[in-house]
Amino acid sequence: MSSTETVLPKLLVVEPDFMLRSIIIGVVREMGLAQPQEALSVERAEQALAEGHFDAVLIALNEDGATVKLLERLRGGHFVCPAETLVAVTAQHCDADMALRLRELDVRRLLLKPFKVKGVIETIGGLFTAPAATA
Amino acid sequence: MRPAPALQVRRMRPIKNLLYASLQAPPSDMTPAHQPPNEPARLQALRALLILDTPPEERFDRIVAFAASEFDMPIALVSLVDGHRQWFKSRVGLADCETPRDVSFCAHTILASALFIVEDALLDSRFADNPLVTGAPNIRFYAGAPLHAPGGERVGTLCLLDQRPRTLDAIERAILGTLCRLVEEQLAHPVAS
């Protein structure tokens, strides 16, 4: 890599659906938005966060609460990955209590399914450009 | 202008009859795509995939359905460009499983590696009087990404069609390109993964 080459931010994509995950990863890579790494489950994500640094995480909200627990551990500084890492969440459903909890966990964006991949890509781009956002 | 051949009509259900008659209508001043310079090798690569005239498969249908939904397109296809026809391995929004190659937009797409986009076919002299434009399915917008066989030959397309003029922005083009690579992965692996 040359000294003038831009270093892309690192993005962890946690999404159980293979096709959706593959498309997001492919588009992020093709557009040069970030260096994406994929994880198909919260367990795999935990391992990735424990081992490396990420600038942002896009994670699907797990119905059994595992995603929230993971974010609590991230914000609590339990991983190698910095506690202040940018986070966006995708979800099938989200009630007011969950939205409040995600806000407390400093989730920058919440995307409710069904959504367009284009919206996800715009969200990822926005994570790296906008200093503040709403859940 | 070439002379108009006789209209071919098959025994089909009435609605399909109408579409088929349109698909078989004679080309007039439109510009059929020329053959790629590697046409024999391209056809050999296509046929080596052993996919022509095979039944629909969920692994392709999922991607095509996703494309139609993501782009809000009435028609999305995995089209394979054979010698004299384009045959659809997967299709949303189109009843017929093939059309003649000389009226095919996809025959143009396989001439280059880039996306091939016609934002308004009525404003493009190559397609303005194409029977697929002047009649059913009344194509106005076309976007095709060339599908490569494992050896690099361009054997077909993943394409999107609409009945109104459209454009694709940079993100949408990247999504179409990524979906195309997913189809290519499936083409390279005959057993569903």
Side-chain angles (χ1 to χ4, degrees), chain B residues 22-183:
Chain B
S22 169
L23 296 179
Q24 293 294 312
S28 51
D29 290 334
M30 62 167 217
T31 311
H34 60 77
Q35 287 197 349
N38 67 337
E39 180 69 1
R42 194 193 69 77
L43 286 176
Q44 190 173 12
L46 171 60
R47 288 160 188 171
L49 294 173
L50 301 177
I51 196 170
L52 288 171
D53 301 306
T54 56
E57 293 180 65
E58 196 265 345
R59 59 194 179 120
F60 293 104
D61 292 346
R62 270 192 79 204
I63 299 171
V64 169
F66 185 96
S69 172
E70 172 69 23
F71 293 98
D72 291 320
M73 291 282 172
I75 302 172
L77 307 164
V78 167
S79 169
L80 300 170
V81 181
D82 199 2
H84 297 286
R85 61 174 179 159
Q86 61 174 352
W87 177 79
F88 308 131
K89 174 59 183 173
S90 180
R91 60 193 194 276
V92 166
L94 197 62
D96 284 68
C97 63
E98 65 183 42
T99 74
R101 181 170 172 174
D102 61 358
V103 298
S104 164
F105 284 61
C106 299
H108 292 261
T109 305
I110 63 167
L111 297 177
S113 287
L115 295 183
F116 181 68
I117 296 178
V118 179
E119 294 185 348
D120 187 345
L122 286 180
L123 301 180
D124 190 317
S125 60
R126 294 169 297 179
F127 302 105
D129 57 359
N130 183 305
L132 303 179
V133 175
T134 58
N138 299 105
I139 298 168
R140 292 288 296 275
F141 173 83
Y142 171 92
L147 292 169
H148 297 81
E153 301 88 353
R154 291 186 286 269
V155 294
T157 76
L158 171 65
C159 64
L160 311 167
L161 301 91
D162 203 346
Q163 291 155 333
R164 60 185 176 90
R166 301 267 301 255
T167 59
L168 293 186
D169 64 22
I171 293 177
E172 291 169 326
R173 288 170 189 241
I175 293 171
L176 180 56
T178 300
L179 289 170
C180 178
R181 281 187 287 283
L182 291 182
V183 175

Side-chain angles (χ1 to χ4, degrees), chain A residues 17-20 22-27 30-31 115-119 121-122, chain B residues 62-63 66 69-72 169-175 177-179 181-182:
Chain A
D17 182 274
F18 170 79
M19 192 164 79
L20 181 56
S22 298
I23 296 168
I24 293 170
I25 293 282
V27 175
E30 179 163 327
M31 297 194 73
F115 48 67
K116 304 285 189 189
V117 169
K118 182 179 181 182
I121 300 302
E122 289 170 338
Chain B
R62 270 192 79 204
I63 299 171
F66 185 96
S69 172
E70 172 69 23
F71 293 98
D72 291 320
D169 64 22
I171 293 177
E172 291 169 326
R173 288 170 189 241
I175 293 171
T178 300
L179 289 170
R181 281 187 287 283
L182 291 182

Side-chain angles (χ1 to χ4, degrees), chain A residues 12 37-39 42-54 79-81:
Chain A
L12 179 64
Q37 182 175 327
E38 59 186 304
V42 170
E43 292 73 22
R44 295 287 180 85
E46 182 151 347
Q47 187 178 351
L49 293 169
E51 293 173 353
H53 169 106
F54 293 93
F79 300 121
V80 169
C81 187

Side-chain angles (χ1 to χ4, degrees), chain A residues 1 5 17 19 21-22 25 32 38 50 73 78 80 89 94 98 106 129:
Chain A
M1 186 189 303
E5 198 168 333
D17 182 274
M19 192 164 79
R21 189 175 70 246
S22 298
I25 293 282
E38 59 186 304
R73 286 167 52 76
H78 292 269
V80 169
V89 166
C94 184
M98 178 58 73
D106 196 23
T129 54

